[in-house]
Amino acid sequence: MKKRLAMLLALLTASALLAAGCGGQGGDAGEEESGGSADKETASFEEKQEGDTFTVGFDQNFPPMGFVGDDGEYTGFDLDLAKEVCERQGWEFVPQPIAWETKDATLNSGEIDCIWNGFTMNGREDEYTWSDPYLDNQQVFVVRSDSGIQSEEDLAGKIVDVQTESSAQAALDDNPELADTFGTLQVIPDYDTGFMELESGAVDAVAMDIVVASYQIESRGADFTILDESIASEEYGIGFAKGNEALRDTVQATLEEMAADGTMAEISEKWFGEDITTIGK
C-alpha cells in the first residue's frame, strides 16, 4: 500500500512539473509574440537633425547620374542634387556606391538612406516610399553609326547588351516579342562594359537609359547612334525605405525649393546643357 502511494505521489509530482514547464514555455512564447507585435507597432524612422549624415546609395558606373570623376571623386547629376539638399538641411553628405542587384537589402538594412541614381519608379511604385518624379526618361538602343542598324527590326539575330537589374532589362522582359528576335541578349554588370563591348564590335547594341546614353556618346566622342524607337518611357524618382515618409517629405520639400529658386535648373544645365527636370513644371 505504501509502495503504491509513493508511486502515485511521484506521478502527481511529475505531472505538476510537466504542466509548469509547458506553461512556462507558453508564457515565454506569448511574451515574444507580444514583444514582436509591439516592435512592429512602434517601428518608425527617426527624423534627421542638423549634423546627421545623409547616405545616398548609387551605382558608381552610371554617368552622368553618379560615377567616379577623373579626379577620383564621386560626382554626377544626382549626387549634385543630393549634396545641395544636404547643404540646405545641414546634413553631412555621404555618397555610398552599392551593387545594384543588392540595392534593396542595402536600403532595408539602414546602410543607406535612399537610392538616388537614375532610379526608375515605373513598375516599382509599391516597393519604396518615393519622392515625386524629377526627370523623364526613355529606354533606347545605342548602336555604332556604321553598323547599318536603323531600327529595332534590324536587331534581329544581333547581340544586345543590357545591365543587370536595370529598367532596360525589365522593359525587355516585358517585351518578349522584341527580345526573342535577338540572337543573344547579354546581361552585363554595368554600362561601361556595354560601351566598351560596343566600341570593340563584340556586341551590336546596348539597351539603356536615353539620359545616360546621350551623355556617354558626347563625353566619349563615340560614333554611336540612338535608335528613334524607344523600348519604354519612365520617370526617375528617389527611393526611400517603405514607411520613411518623414525623410522623403524633407527631401521633397527641399527639391521644390531648389526648383523654385533655379538651383535645380542650374545643376541640370551643368550636366545636360539644358533644364530637363520636371519638378515645379
Side-chain angles (χ1 to χ4, degrees):
M1 184 72 177
K2 287 182 181 178
K3 188 174 181 181
R4 197 178 283 179
L5 182 60
M7 290 177 63
L8 181 60
L9 286 171
L11 284 170
L12 289 170
T13 301
S15 298
L17 289 170
L18 182 59
C22 291
Q25 290 170 358
D28 290 345
E31 286 170 12
E32 287 173 6
E33 289 171 6
S34 174
S37 176
D39 288 344
K40 287 180 182 177
E41 289 173 6
T42 58
S44 61
F45 296 91
E46 295 182 4
E47 291 191 20
K48 294 227 176 260
Q49 307 296 321
E50 188 171 346
D52 285 348
T53 58
F54 181 63
T55 305
V56 173
F58 73 104
D59 177 354
Q60 68 177 18
N61 297 301
F62 200 57
M65 314 313 282
F67 62 104
V68 181
D70 293 338
D71 59 1
E73 299 295 322
Y74 298 128
T75 187
F77 172 69
D78 281 337
L79 296 187
D80 276 359
L81 289 179
K83 191 183 302 183
E84 179 66 20
V85 167
C86 287
E87 288 179 4
R88 295 187 182 213
Q89 291 297 325
W91 299 335
E92 179 187 349
F93 172 61
V94 180
Q96 178 61 55
I98 59 175
W100 202 244
E101 60 271 23
T102 62
K103 60 186 178 299
D104 292 346
T106 308
L107 177 65
N108 293 327
S109 70
E111 185 179 341
I112 58 176
D113 290 306
C114 66
I115 301 170
W116 194 341
N117 189 214
F119 196 24
T120 299
M121 303 171 69
N122 309 70
R124 300 182 174 120
E125 289 87 350
D126 297 327
E127 298 174 21
Y128 307 87
T129 289
W130 287 101
S131 70
D132 289 348
Y134 63 92
L135 211 65
D136 289 332
N137 185 50
Q138 293 177 321
Q139 297 300 326
V140 295
F141 292 106
V142 180
V143 300
R144 293 184 303 279
S145 299
D146 62 357
S147 67
I149 299 171
Q150 298 180 340
S151 69
E152 291 178 350
E153 291 180 356
D154 295 333
L155 292 172
K158 304 296 186 182
I159 303 173
V160 178
D161 272 356
V162 65
Q163 182 178 348
T164 182
E165 294 293 319
S166 67
S167 299
Q169 184 182 23
L172 289 172
D173 287 344
D174 290 340
N175 191 352
E177 295 84 4
L178 172 61
D180 289 348
T181 67
F182 305 155
T184 305
L185 179 60
Q186 294 186 158
V187 179
I188 55 174
D190 55 67
Y191 284 124
D192 277 345
T193 300
F195 271 93
M196 286 189 291
E197 292 187 342
L198 188 61
E199 284 177 331
S200 70
V203 300
D204 300 293
V206 181
M208 63 188 305
D209 303 53
I210 193 171
V211 170
V212 179
S214 299
Y215 178 85
Q216 285 273 25
I217 290 171
E218 182 177 349
S219 63
R220 290 171 178 265
D223 194 15
F224 294 159
T225 298
I226 299 173
L227 299 187
D228 290 337
E229 301 124 308
S230 64
I231 312 166
S233 297
E234 60 192 24
E235 295 174 312
Y236 283 165
I238 308 161
F240 300 86
K242 283 286 281 185
N244 198 356
E245 284 88 0
L247 183 56
R248 185 273 313 276
D249 291 348
T250 300
V251 172
Q252 180 64 40
T254 310
L255 289 176
E256 289 170 5
E257 260 180 34
M258 292 161 56
D261 66 23
T263 305
M264 186 175 286
E266 290 176 9
I267 294 173
S268 179
E269 287 163 5
K270 168 186 172 181
W271 288 102
F272 305 113
E274 59 181 321
D275 181 16
I276 62 172
T277 61
T278 57
I279 290 181
K281 305 290 193 300

